[in-house]
Amino acid sequence: MQSLVDAAATGSLYALVALAIGLVFGVMRLINFAQADYITIGAYALIVPSASTVPTLFIGAWPMPLMVAAVALVVVLVALATERLAFRPLRGTDPSTLLVSSFALSFLFQQTIMLIFNSRPKSIEFGSALAAAVEIAGLRVPGVQLLTMATTIVAGTLLVFFLRYTALGVEIRAAAEDFTMAQLLGVRANRVIAVSFAISGLLGASVSLLLVVQTGTLDYRMGIMPVIYGFFATVIGGMGSLPAAALGGFLVGAASQLLQAWLPPDLRPFRDAFVFGFVIAVLLFRPEGLARPRAMRERV
Amino acid sequence: MGVTADIGPASIGITGDEILEARDVVVRFGGLLALDRVNIALRRNEIFGLIGPNGAGKSTTVNVLTGFQQPTSGEVLIDGRSIGGWSTNRVARSGVARTFQAARLFPALSVFENVVVASVNAGGSLAAARERAGDILAWVGCANRADRPASALNYGDQRRVAIARALALSPKFILLDEPAAGMNERECDQLVTLVSEIPGRWGCGVLLIEHNMAVVMRTCSRILVLDGGKPIAEGTPVAIQTNAEVRRAYLGDKAPGAAHR
Amino acid sequence: MAADRHRLIEFASFVWSVAALALPLGVLVFLLSRSGSLAVEQTVIEALIKIVAVVGLYVFIGNSGIMSFGHVAFMGIGAYAAAWQTCCPMLKPIVMSGLPDILLQNTVPNFPASVASGLLAAAAALAAGAVILRLNGIAASIASFSLLFIVNVIYSNADRFTQGVGSIVGLPVYVTPTVAYAWACAAIALACLYHRSRFGVALRACREDDVAARAAGINVYVQRLIAFVLSAFLLGVSGALYGSLLGTISVDTFFLDMTFMLVAMLVVGGVRSVAGAVVGVTAVSAVVEIFRQLQNGIEVGAFHVALPAGFQGIALALFMLAVLIFRREGITGGHEAILPERLRRALLALKK
């Protein structure tokens, strides 16, 4: 039972990542590896730049609403900058080129962060109050897990509302379905893409804060694994469908936790291998992902 | 209405070997009935035309005959063997070649490579494949451009190379999907000559999908007319031209001599 | 008669495409090795080994058009296979106790060990590829990336075979610039052979238009698998050679950083040609080396000026992004070295 809660929490976290990746993929056919660095940058924004392994809090020391807003702002600005400077010139190129360039961008960020902050992981006191466990229905659930699940639900709901009921949201969905047609109908490409990146930045910021509360550590590669998982999750769920991406994230996170709990101790270190193998298995069984995307079949 | 029962291979006594056959093929896309019990028998020595208004299901028929589309019901047989579930490249290697509405050459490959890449799949040695590719390219009149990248060719030449590529498979049947689209009169004449020679020169039957009636009438010995997925008439060019149902399908109720629905 | 002439031209064309890369490379290697600096020699050897690897990447990525981020897994498999065969005879039974006795008690000579390592990697690729190449496009790229992680996890935890996350030391350091150069030439020759073979052409057809390729009778899956296995062989060999650079390997050497480096080299040079692979490795290695010198510091007047560590990674990433934005096809533009027209005509005119 405890492991189910863990699974739900981890799944929620990966769902947040998957949403961000799925959104950007939807409008640009770009798999944004740099999402990992949005997460990392959000976390590192909390501290004063230094090479020390026990850094002092900077934004992290501000009152909570201000801090959250500041981190969100930083990450969104970074996301928008990457869109404007790196991805806009590459718009319309084939998916492989986009993939490789986001890979390069991610590497660039990692190296820069490593340069400024040093490659050794740092530990910080942050949100430790949330690490305390709450008793619910006989289970001890750490506050941070509840927060993660709550954040995902709120973020997901807001996103659904935004995409369905606002003009901008509708434009984004149209662009995701058929970009050229949407442009012909007057949808402004730049605005749609920029907004999508901004949203992915917001999602990235929330993931980074949740991660820092959960682990208390900063590492220049901390965003990579969540994004890898989120990335696989999008694929499992089906690229082109946001709810499915979230579902995929949930499944991957849940699978990872459940395997941890249920695998025999000998095999537990290999848990990740099973998860990745599971990804391949799903891809084989349903290459388009579990949801059925609309316009993906090629007409002969 | 009474025409439908008389359409199909059985009506002219074709059975068995050396034919590419569609038997009672039905293709349904969700709620849309794209093909409604289509029967075709293509012999190796004939040129068979497939015509009909836009959306009649002509391309779907070609897709079914070449394995690009699985029929919802009915079957496709090559020389009596069903191709149900076969991969498209297996169908191609079994003797059914096709062209596409757009030439779909491999742009980065040379013209020669475009043809050789198919030719090696017809069996035999690499040298034989290369020789066959050269012969076919010469026959379609593109031998002098053999070493150019396919992307450098003009539209008409691309079409001809596409036909060469299909012929390079040494197929028993070749399905040409609107080869005359966008051609002027002189080019159409050349196409008619080319297509008419195929059964005799290369020993394969031709299924020709075309909108250009002149080309169809001049090359085909038999024609099947589809409308809205249904076969509505089959016969010689003369018979089709004078068929009231066909007129109505193309021209609507206002066609002279058309019975009202 | 025409066929003989044709075969001659084909052969000349092949020799030319290999020589056009191997000869300048040889000259460069020769000159740099004479510099006397051990560090430079190490760089040269490393670059040549990476040529083997990146040429291997080209064989699959360049011809199939599928971006594979997982190939470094095969490099790792090859590296450890070489370790199992050639490492530290005294330590092996203790450090890698999980190995079968035949490996624990014997040491394989270096050359056969490298080949065997390549073959093991190829076998792994056959198994993995049979599964993941059923997927198309992006899905295949992602699945191959998955593969990288799977291999990393397995090797990181199979302590009795690989020392887990620790390093294996004591590998024979036998690769000289000459040995590395020989392997680089072999890789180039193999890749050129593949490129002009019916399999290479068929795979490129699949890359251009996989629907039309199928209609032309090509089995897309089989063609992709062939390239996948061949490229894994080259990566496996490069892994085996890599171990002998410093005599030590660890699982993390063959993970994300190496993947980025190799992919960057290929992209910068030009994904679609063997020349691109070679040029890419050379260019990037040169840039990295320059930055390394800058990081070590240069004397400017009375001052010791040095770039902070980590700048070379940033420079490389920026370089790669610049190439992708401004010259997508890479430095070579995807062109191979082809037989000059004059030479071709001369051969055609030969009286026989």
Side-chain angles (χ1 to χ4, degrees):
Chain A
M1 206 50 220
Q2 183 70 46
S3 45
L4 281 178
V5 175
D6 288 336
T10 314
S12 307
L13 193 70
Y14 293 150
L16 282 174
V17 182
L19 279 173
I21 293 178
L23 188 63
V24 169
F25 180 78
V27 290
M28 253 188 99
R29 292 288 172 270
L30 160 73
I31 296 177
N32 192 3
F33 277 118
Q35 183 75 32
D37 307 281
Y38 300 164
I39 296 174
T40 312
I41 289 173
Y44 274 81
L46 293 170
I47 62 174
V48 175
S50 96
S52 140
T53 47
V54 189
T56 39
L57 289 178
F58 170 37
I59 297 181
W62 297 357
M64 204 200 69
L66 196 58
M67 173 206 65
V68 172
V71 170
L73 186 66
V74 166
V75 177
V76 167
L77 285 176
V78 169
L80 288 174
T82 57
E83 190 277 311
R84 185 68 186 79
L85 297 170
F87 296 126
R88 191 176 296 189
L90 290 167
R91 231 181 259 177
T93 60
D94 55 290
S96 285
T97 309
L98 287 172
L99 194 62
V100 175
S101 50
S102 82
F103 201 49
L105 193 62
S106 179
F107 191 74
L108 177 66
F109 276 127
Q110 286 167 43
Q111 294 289 304
T112 312
I113 294 174
M114 196 176 72
L115 192 67
I116 302 175
F117 291 92
N118 183 286
S119 58
R120 286 201 302 276
K122 308 182 189 303
S123 53
I124 58 173
E125 266 287 327
F126 186 75
S128 41
L130 288 168
V134 174
E135 279 263 356
I136 296 185
L139 294 168
R140 300 183 57 80
V141 181
V144 62
Q145 285 188 342
L146 285 174
L147 184 61
T148 308
M149 289 187 271
T151 311
T152 307
I153 294 174
V154 168
T157 320
L158 282 177
L159 203 54
V160 165
F161 266 111
F162 172 71
L163 289 175
R164 201 169 287 204
Y165 298 117
T166 66
L168 197 51
V170 171
E171 284 183 16
I172 290 179
R173 283 195 298 140
E177 189 125 352
D178 188 336
F179 199 79
T180 324
M181 183 51 97
Q183 270 186 303
L184 288 172
L185 291 173
V187 166
R188 287 214 313 247
N190 291 344
R191 206 160 53 131
V192 158
I193 292 181
V195 169
S196 304
F197 268 81
I199 297 177
S200 79
L202 284 174
L203 290 166
S206 37
V207 171
S208 63
L209 289 172
L210 288 168
L211 268 181
V212 176
V213 170
Q214 197 165 9
T215 62
T217 44
L218 301 175
D219 180 294
Y220 78 108
R221 290 192 136 161
M222 62 191 281
I224 293 186
M225 283 320 288
V227 160
I228 298 289
Y229 279 116
F231 169 57
F232 288 150
T234 319
V235 165
I236 292 181
M239 315 197 99
S241 161
L242 279 184
L247 177 68
F250 204 78
L251 279 177
V252 169
S256 148
Q257 279 299 116
L258 292 174
L259 279 174
Q260 183 69 26
W262 291 341
L263 278 176
D266 288 349
L267 291 176
R268 236 173 256 169
F270 299 95
R271 172 201 66 176
D272 287 338
F274 282 100
V275 177
F276 299 127
F278 172 62
V279 171
I280 295 185
V282 171
L283 279 176
L284 280 174
F285 173 58
R286 276 283 277 260
E288 338 75 65
L290 294 174
R292 193 158 297 224
R294 238 76 70 84
M296 294 278 202
R297 283 247 251 106
E298 185 180 357
R299 296 193 62 219
V300 174
Chain B
M1 193 225 84
V3 195
T4 337
D6 301 337
I7 295 172
S11 66
I12 49 172
I14 299 177
T15 54
D17 296 341
E18 296 276 293
I19 55 168
L20 174 63
E21 203 182 332
R23 265 190 213 163
D24 284 335
V25 166
V26 173
V27 176
R28 221 179 273 267
F29 294 122
L32 175 68
L33 188 61
L35 290 181
D36 187 3
R37 276 177 295 124
V38 171
N39 286 278
I40 293 181
L42 176 66
R43 283 184 295 226
R44 273 185 85 164
N45 57 356
E46 69 175 336
I47 302 177
F48 187 99
L50 182 61
I51 65 175
N54 273 321
K58 307 187 291 296
S59 278
T60 311
T61 305
V62 171
N63 287 343
V64 168
L65 287 169
T66 50
F68 279 87
Q69 174 73 46
Q70 295 299 324
T72 313
S73 74
E75 48 177 4
V76 175
L77 304 110
I78 304 176
D79 296 346
R81 277 173 76 206
S82 168
I83 67 167
W86 286 19
S87 61
T88 44
N89 57 284
R90 184 177 174 193
V91 172
R93 286 197 310 271
S94 305
V96 182
R98 68 169 293 173
T99 61
F100 296 90
Q101 280 186 27
R104 293 189 85 151
L105 295 182
F106 308 119
L109 270 50
S110 74
V111 166
F112 188 70
E113 284 174 329
N114 264 271
V115 180
V116 161
V117 107
S119 180
V120 294
N121 293 314
S125 70
L126 187 54
R130 299 184 67 106
E131 200 176 316
R132 179 166 51 240
D135 289 344
I136 298 175
L137 266 179
W139 181 73
V140 299
C142 289
N144 56 337
R145 286 178 279 288
D147 288 324
R148 304 262 229 85
S151 51
L153 257 50
N154 67 44
Y155 201 47
D157 283 343
Q158 283 191 14
R159 288 287 191 63
R160 284 193 271 170
V161 173
I163 294 176
R165 184 175 64 183
L167 283 172
L169 278 167
S170 274
K172 298 179 185 151
F173 310 98
I174 182 171
L175 282 63
L176 302 175
D177 199 342
E178 297 195 34
M183 283 189 177
N184 62 37
E185 210 175 302
R186 189 178 57 89
E187 289 168 330
C188 280
D189 283 342
Q190 290 172 341
L191 183 70
V192 166
T193 315
L194 209 68
V195 172
S196 302
E197 281 180 37
I198 291 180
R201 177 75 174 79
W202 302 104
C204 59
V206 178
L207 181 75
L208 180 67
I209 297 179
E210 248 315 321
H211 274 298
N212 187 321
M213 285 305 137
V215 170
V216 173
M217 296 303 164
R218 286 161 65 191
T219 54
C220 302
S221 53
R222 283 192 300 140
I223 298 172
L224 173 67
V225 185
L226 291 182
D227 183 26
K230 286 189 183 32
I232 61 171
E234 182 176 335
T236 62
V238 173
I240 293 299
Q241 272 175 316
T242 54
N243 186 303
E245 288 280 336
V246 175
R247 283 248 200 77
R248 195 182 338 117
Y250 273 98
L251 301 172
D253 281 328
K254 302 191 180 64
H260 49 258
R261 287 183 195 206
Chain C
M1 191 68 20
D4 280 337
R5 192 71 46 79
H6 186 86
R7 228 171 294 159
L8 176 65
I9 293 185
E10 283 293 300
F11 182 69
S13 201
F14 168 68
V15 169
W16 181 271
S17 53
V18 174
L21 294 172
L23 290 178
L25 189 65
V27 169
L28 195 59
V29 168
F30 180 71
L31 289 175
L32 287 172
S33 322
R34 313 268 321 292
S35 72
S37 153
L38 208 60
V40 168
E41 190 174 288
Q42 275 290 80
T43 309
V44 167
I45 299 175
E46 187 171 348
L48 286 168
I49 295 176
K50 285 189 172 147
I51 285 181
V52 176
V54 177
V55 165
L57 273 188
Y58 150 78
V59 165
F60 180 71
I61 297 178
N63 288 291
S64 73
I66 297 175
M67 184 53 68
S68 168
F69 284 119
H71 266 70
V72 169
F74 301 120
M75 201 174 174
I77 290 177
Y80 277 86
W84 294 337
Q85 293 170 87
T86 63
C87 177
C88 43
M90 296 293 123
L91 286 176
K92 225 190 326 189
I94 308 166
V95 159
M96 295 184 252
S97 53
L99 290 174
D101 281 335
I102 185 170
L103 279 174
L104 286 177
Q105 287 157 15
N106 296 296
T107 299
V108 180
N110 292 312
F111 177 69
S114 303
V115 175
S117 303
L119 289 174
L120 181 68
L126 185 60
V131 169
I132 71 180
L133 291 175
R134 298 206 168 276
L135 301 167
N136 252 318
I138 294 282
S141 303
I142 294 166
S144 81
F145 200 30
S146 236
L147 198 64
L148 180 67
F149 280 83
I150 292 177
V151 170
N152 185 274
V153 166
I154 292 177
Y155 274 61
S156 298
N157 289 290
D159 291 2
R160 285 168 54 229
F161 294 85
T162 63
Q163 278 281 78
V165 294
S167 311
I168 292 185
V169 295
L171 289 164
V173 182
Y174 71 95
V175 178
T176 63
T178 314
V179 170
Y181 177 68
W183 270 114
C185 290
I188 293 172
L190 201 57
C192 285
L193 259 177
Y194 173 77
H195 176 96
R196 42 192 339 115
S197 75
R198 54 187 282 183
F199 308 107
V201 180
L203 186 60
R204 287 198 295 286
C206 301
R207 178 191 74 195
E208 300 287 282
D209 189 332
D210 79 291
V211 169
R214 276 177 240 264
I218 298 174
N219 189 325
V220 175
Y221 170 67
V222 165
Q223 293 307 324
R224 285 179 178 164
L225 192 56
I226 292 174
F228 197 71
V229 169
L230 180 60
S231 82
F233 172 76
L234 287 171
L235 276 146
V237 168
S238 77
L241 296 171
Y242 205 81
S244 87
L245 254 183
L246 297 168
T248 160
I249 53 172
S250 78
V251 180
D252 263 357
T253 315
F254 306 103
F255 197 38
L256 293 172
D257 284 339
M258 178 68 81
T259 300
F260 177 75
M261 176 67 69
L262 296 182
V263 170
M265 288 171 166
L266 182 61
V267 167
V268 163
V271 176
R272 289 192 169 183
S273 65
V274 184
V278 176
V279 167
V281 174
T282 315
V284 171
S285 298
V287 169
V288 166
E289 185 57 29
I290 292 174
F291 271 92
R292 198 183 317 206
Q293 299 287 5
L294 287 175
Q295 276 167 196
N296 287 340
I298 47 177
E299 310 299 319
V300 178
F303 301 101
H304 180 95
V305 177
L307 279 180
F311 247 92
Q312 83 186 39
I314 294 176
L316 180 58
L318 284 172
F319 191 20
M320 189 167 156
L321 276 170
V323 167
L324 285 169
I325 293 177
F326 297 114
R327 196 180 156 85
R328 201 155 301 146
E329 310 291 306
I331 295 176
T332 60
H335 296 306
E336 295 286 8
I338 43 178
L339 199 64
E341 197 53 36
R342 254 189 262 152
L343 204 50
R344 172 183 279 259
R345 265 183 260 142
L347 286 171
L348 266 172
L350 276 180
K351 304 263 197 273
K352 248 299 149 104

